[in-house]
Amino acid sequence: MAAEFLDRGWNVIGTVRNPATRTPLHDLADRADGRVSVEHLDINEPAQLAPLHERLAQRELDVLFVNAGTAGHEQTPIGAVPTADFVEVMVTNALSPMRVIETLEDLVPPTGLIGAMSSGQGSITNNATGLREVYRGSKAALNMLMRSFSARQSGTRRAFVLMAPGWIRTALGGPDAPFTIEEAVPQVVDVLLSRRGMPGLAYLDRFGRTVPW
């Protein structure tokens, strides 16, 4: 997504969990003529949020998009999932993204967009198979928390998006996913940019179609 926004003429700020580890974001920054900034943030370390906000305080974020996800126990019924594993997924996928949004939202102008990477598996309506229950629950929780946040922002003209990109060949999606990052990311970015200037919250797939709650 960082590369896609860069190719479309945007300046990009991206975060990495470990500043000592080289990532593709660093490679992108090296060839971006100063238009990509790499910041440090482990999304599950709340103490890192205030320093990040301080470093970005003079910047305006036309789009703030939070992408965080982990999974586990995909075939395990929820009653058999260890408590610590449940907490890890819930904190990473639901609580931590909202902490980032709550911390940085004042850097987003009234006409800006705030989004988070959700999942079609966060749809309660569409859950006809079960399985991946912790992951499903965490994304449904993210959806609810984002809905609450947007309700508290109802007096603004900001756009809010929960993105359900589909099953993509990522580290989380795995090698069996039917679509590549190269196929999916331009569509995701198209949808995000199309929502700018459209106040309120939308839960959308990468084709711009509404996903049922």
Side-chain angles (χ1 to χ4, degrees):
M1 288 181 66
E4 184 68 21
F5 273 103
L6 181 70
D7 288 346
R8 298 185 189 209
W10 287 68
N11 296 327
V12 177
I13 303 167
T15 64
V16 297
R17 282 177 285 177
N18 185 349
T21 301
R22 184 81 182 180
T23 72
L25 187 63
H26 292 94
D27 297 336
L28 185 67
D30 285 348
R31 60 179 187 269
D33 297 323
R35 293 197 296 119
V36 174
S37 303
V38 180
E39 289 286 350
H40 170 221
L41 176 67
D42 184 327
I43 200 169
N44 287 340
E45 295 292 339
Q48 295 178 9
L49 286 170
L52 175 63
H53 184 279
E54 184 176 351
R55 294 193 299 271
L56 299 179
Q58 304 307 312
R59 306 285 293 268
E60 185 173 84
L61 307 179
D62 295 301
V63 173
L64 170 62
F65 189 78
V66 182
N67 181 20
T70 189
H73 295 279
E74 296 190 4
Q75 308 301 319
T76 307
I78 189 64
V81 174
T83 299
D85 295 352
F86 177 86
V87 170
E88 179 186 7
V89 174
M90 283 290 179
V91 169
T92 302
N93 293 4
L95 178 58
S96 291
M98 295 310 303
R99 282 175 168 160
V100 174
I101 288 170
E102 295 267 12
T103 299
L104 301 182
E105 63 95 9
D106 67 309
L107 305 181
V108 181
T111 55
L113 180 144
I114 297 175
M117 189 68 83
S118 184
S119 170
Q121 294 193 21
S123 169
I124 294 173
T125 301
N126 285 348
N127 183 4
T129 62
L131 303 179
R132 308 198 83 196
E133 291 169 12
V134 181
Y135 181 79
R136 287 180 186 275
S138 71
K139 290 300 187 177
L142 173 66
N143 292 352
M144 178 61 79
L145 297 174
M146 189 68 167
R147 183 144 192 167
S148 293
F149 177 78
S150 67
R152 289 187 273 119
Q153 302 274 322
S154 60
T156 76
R157 291 178 292 145
R158 283 180 180 154
F160 303 92
V161 176
L162 287 159
M163 171 55 61
W167 190 13
I168 312 300
R169 236 170 282 159
T170 64
L172 182 65
D176 296 330
F179 301 104
T180 66
I181 293 174
E182 291 76 16
E183 291 171 318
V185 164
Q187 297 170 321
V188 168
V189 172
D190 283 344
V191 172
L192 291 176
L193 295 182
S194 74
R195 292 297 303 178
R196 295 179 71 209
M198 301 179 69
L201 175 64
Y203 180 23
L204 304 171
D205 67 16
R206 70 178 187 276
F207 303 106
R209 300 175 302 203
T210 297
V211 181
W213 297 101

